[in-house]
């Protein structure tokens, strides 16, 4: 959740430098290069990669994007030709679909962007200083959010979750998971389990590479639950297969 001033400063320059079509084409080239470099040509060209891409694409097309602007925007993009790029895009759709649902769960509890990050950090999912600096929120805004959450009884004096705060956080995650279930329910238990099985070695390669830093904004812990890399404090699969993170 970037500070609005950062977005307002960057976007006009971005659109002067390149069109949306230019940016999307560059993103596809970058995904191709990054996945090939990380996994190797044999893996990106493997039958397992192609099968995973097809299953993930089927799930992604089933995502209900009403009220989910980022999920809808990604779902509207054309199907990539290369299976490994298709897999990345297919997993980006439910990731953003879930993110949109998560925002709705936060808004429903009157949590703004800084308060949401403070709560996430208090749950031990991310590093507070990393979150604040990369999102460009000043210390005063961060401390004001902490004060507000203490007033609501969700944080203690050491900025850790209270029992009430932990219950709120668990409720947010449960609501987010429930809102994200449609793609996987449509795909069905057997195909979803098969996709998770196919994705696990790809996800392990990403985690073992060290390119996902500790304290990452996604809260990815590196723990595998039922073939899915977990980023959810509730211990339930997040609705996001691991390779998309």
């Amino acid at each position: 959740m970037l500070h609005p001033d950062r977005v307002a400063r960057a976007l006009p320059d971005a659109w002067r430098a390149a069109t949306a079509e230019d940016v999307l084409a560059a993103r596809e080239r970058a995904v191709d290069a990054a996945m090939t470099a990380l996994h190797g040509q044999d893996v990106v060209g493997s039958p397992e990669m192609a099968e995973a891409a097809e299953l993930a694409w089927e799930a992604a097309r089933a995502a209900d994007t009403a009220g989910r602007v980022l999920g809808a925007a990604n779902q509207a993009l054309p199907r990539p030709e290369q299976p490994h790029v298709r897999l990345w895009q297919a997993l980006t759709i439910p990731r953003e679909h879930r993110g949109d649902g998560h925002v709705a769960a936060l808004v429903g509890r009157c949590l703004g962007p800084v308060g949401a990050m403070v709560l996430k950090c208090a749950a031990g999912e991310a590093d507070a200083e990393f979150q604040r600096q990369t999102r460009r929120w000043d210390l005063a805004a961060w401390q004001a959010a902490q004060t507000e959450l203490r007033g609501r009884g969700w944080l203690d004096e050491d900025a850790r979750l209270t029992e009430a705060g932990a219950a709120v956080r668990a409720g947010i995650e449960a609501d987010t998971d429930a809102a994200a279930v449609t793609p996987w329910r449509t795909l069905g238990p057997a195909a979803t389990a098969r996709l998770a099985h196919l994705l696990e070695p790809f996800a392990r390669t990403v985690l073992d590479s060290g390119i996902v830093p500790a304290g990452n904004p996604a809260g990815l812990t590196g723990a595998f639950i039922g073939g899915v890399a977990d980023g959810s404090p509730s211990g339930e699969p997040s609705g996001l297969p691991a390779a998309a993170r």
Side-chain angles (χ1 to χ4, degrees):
M1 297 182 184
L2 289 170
H3 193 292
D5 288 350
R6 190 178 186 193
V7 178
R9 184 203 63 75
L11 275 182
D13 288 346
W15 295 133
R16 280 194 291 269
T19 66
E21 291 75 16
D22 292 334
V23 172
L24 288 170
R27 183 175 76 160
E28 185 164 322
R29 292 194 300 272
V31 170
D32 175 23
M35 290 193 68
T36 302
L38 181 63
H39 297 289
Q41 189 64 56
D42 288 346
V43 172
V44 299
S46 68
E48 291 80 9
M49 181 69 71
E51 183 183 357
E54 288 305 305
L55 288 170
W57 194 259
E58 183 180 346
R61 300 310 302 172
D64 175 8
T65 55
R68 294 174 168 93
V69 292
L70 290 178
N74 276 280
Q75 193 185 63
L77 295 176
R79 169 187 164 107
E81 289 297 323
Q82 299 181 92
H84 59 291
V85 180
R86 188 184 317 136
L87 177 63
W88 186 91
Q89 182 59 38
L91 296 178
T92 295
I93 295 165
R95 182 191 69 207
E96 297 297 359
H97 174 270
R98 186 179 194 277
D100 291 336
H102 188 60
V103 170
L106 294 169
V107 170
R109 290 167 174 83
C110 299
L111 271 168
V114 185
M117 287 188 291
V118 167
L119 199 67
K120 184 181 187 72
C121 294
E125 290 182 53
D127 178 76
E129 189 63 15
F130 182 85
Q131 289 277 67
R132 189 178 69 79
Q133 292 285 354
T134 56
R135 266 51 177 177
R136 296 295 190 266
W137 292 96
D138 61 35
L139 186 58
W142 194 268
Q143 291 173 337
Q146 289 179 323
T147 298
E148 180 190 355
L149 296 188
R150 286 192 188 99
R152 296 170 77 168
W154 296 356
L155 294 186
D156 64 19
E157 289 304 312
D158 295 319
R160 293 189 296 245
L161 288 182
T162 62
E163 185 175 342
V168 169
R169 180 67 183 161
I172 290 169
E173 291 301 311
D175 287 352
T176 302
D177 288 345
V181 76
T182 302
W184 315 111
R185 181 176 290 154
T186 302
L187 191 61
T192 298
R194 174 61 178 166
L195 177 58
H197 174 74
L198 290 166
L199 290 176
E200 184 166 337
F202 305 151
R204 287 194 184 279
T205 298
V206 173
L207 291 171
D208 292 346
S209 73
I211 62 175
V212 179
N216 60 85
L220 181 61
T221 65
F224 280 78
I225 297 176
V228 177
D230 185 61
S232 165
S234 66
E236 293 297 324
S238 67
L240 171 61
R245 297 178 187 263

